[in-house]
Amino acid sequence: MSETVYKVVETFVSINGEGRKAGQLAVFVRFAGCNLDCEYCDTKWANKHDVSYKEMTAVEIYNLIKETSVRNVTLTGGEPLIQKDIEQLLKVLSADESIEVEIETNGSVDVKTFRNMENPPAFTIDYKLSASGMEDKMCLRNYETVTEKDTVKFVSGSVSDLEKCKEIIDRYNLTKKTNVYISPVFGKIEPAEIVEFMKENNMNNVNLQIQMHKVIWDPDKTGV
């Protein structure tokens, strides 16, 4: 049997732009392909059928990570969890307790399967609001099983998005179980409007987050 290879479109070291470890160094591994097509997606190029990618085995990815000497690892895309045999890669990475693996997933894939692993990764799970055009694709079981090491992220483009965000947070009691972040759709809603909504609705333990990498670099720049 041939060894599984993964379609990797880019790898780079930068800071985490969002989530619990925003501002910390991380080594990013971006995979090709996604099962959604969000209207505001800033990595559509990675999801095209003809995108250029490098085939890498789990061991090659692990070795690349170790060569950076960076502890935080972010698997992103695209959608990492639709990669064929992604469990094999996660087993290789989870065997090394000196690195901390986070998977950025779009909320459409049930993550329960991956929680039974030894030293499981942390998940940053999107809830795609109406601004994405993909809200009907969400796997709602994910918001029932989140843990304190996970993050649920809402990318909001309007007040109606914020209202739905609050509804989901309350329905699944997310602030009691996990880390909750709201980010604006870049250029669609002012962060001040999100703050006012949070104040009006007394949204304790919810974090407003600006995508840090879009402030530091050009919003369209890749590899950051």
Side-chain angles (χ1 to χ4, degrees):
M1 185 187 301
S2 60
E3 189 172 3
T4 298
V5 293
Y6 302 93
K7 298 177 179 180
V8 178
V9 294
E10 65 174 351
T11 60
F12 58 94
V13 173
S14 186
I15 57 164
N16 267 309
E18 52 195 350
R20 291 187 304 120
K21 296 188 176 182
Q24 294 186 25
L25 283 179
V27 52
F28 290 80
V29 180
R30 187 182 305 281
F31 298 97
C34 191
N35 58 330
L36 300 185
D37 185 21
C38 296
E39 293 183 14
Y40 53 70
C41 180
D42 54 7
T43 54
K44 283 185 182 290
W45 62 271
N47 306 331
K48 294 179 178 178
H49 293 298
D50 60 351
V51 67
S52 177
Y53 59 84
K54 181 178 181 180
E55 292 187 340
M56 299 182 70
T57 66
V59 171
E60 288 172 335
I61 293 172
Y62 171 73
N63 289 339
L64 181 147
I65 290 167
K66 293 299 287 185
E67 286 170 4
T68 68
S69 299
V70 173
R71 183 177 184 184
N72 294 324
V73 179
T74 300
L75 305 183
T76 188
E79 172 51 58
L81 297 182
I82 64 170
Q83 293 289 312
K84 184 177 183 297
D85 296 328
I86 191 66
E87 297 91 341
Q88 292 182 21
L89 172 60
L90 296 181
K91 286 178 181 177
V92 169
L93 299 184
S94 67
D96 186 341
E97 295 185 1
S98 72
I99 60 176
E100 296 186 4
V101 179
E102 172 194 14
I103 299 177
E104 293 185 339
T105 180
N106 62 28
S108 69
V109 180
D110 193 341
V111 303
K112 185 176 181 180
T113 304
F114 307 98
R115 293 198 182 278
N116 297 325
M117 298 176 56
E118 186 175 349
N119 189 27
F123 293 93
T124 293
I125 306 172
D126 276 13
Y127 182 91
K128 299 295 186 185
L129 296 160
S130 62
S132 70
M134 295 284 119
E135 188 173 3
D136 63 330
K137 308 297 185 184
M138 294 299 90
C139 175
L140 297 179
R141 289 186 297 277
N142 285 335
Y143 313 102
E144 297 172 349
T145 62
V146 287
T147 71
E148 60 185 11
K149 69 185 291 187
D150 298 324
T151 297
V152 175
K153 183 181 71 176
F154 298 87
V155 181
S156 175
S158 65
V159 172
S160 62
D161 273 356
L162 293 172
E163 290 170 346
K164 185 57 178 287
C165 167
K166 183 178 184 304
E167 177 190 327
I168 295 298
I169 290 170
D170 292 345
R171 183 193 307 174
Y172 294 101
N173 203 22
L174 293 179
T175 56
K176 301 295 185 184
K177 298 189 297 187
T178 194
N179 306 279
V180 181
Y181 289 82
I182 304 175
S183 296
V185 176
F186 194 77
K188 292 293 185 181
I189 187 172
E190 290 299 322
E193 194 168 1
I194 298 177
V195 174
E196 287 305 310
F197 184 89
M198 291 170 65
K199 288 163 57 178
E200 291 167 5
N201 290 276
N202 197 31
M203 296 178 74
N204 290 305
N205 299 319
V206 173
N207 303 277
L208 169 66
Q209 188 157 72
I210 310 299
Q211 291 178 299
M212 195 179 295
H213 52 288
K214 291 187 177 180
V215 176
I216 299 173
W217 296 283
D218 184 286
D220 296 322
K221 185 175 177 62
T222 61
V224 296

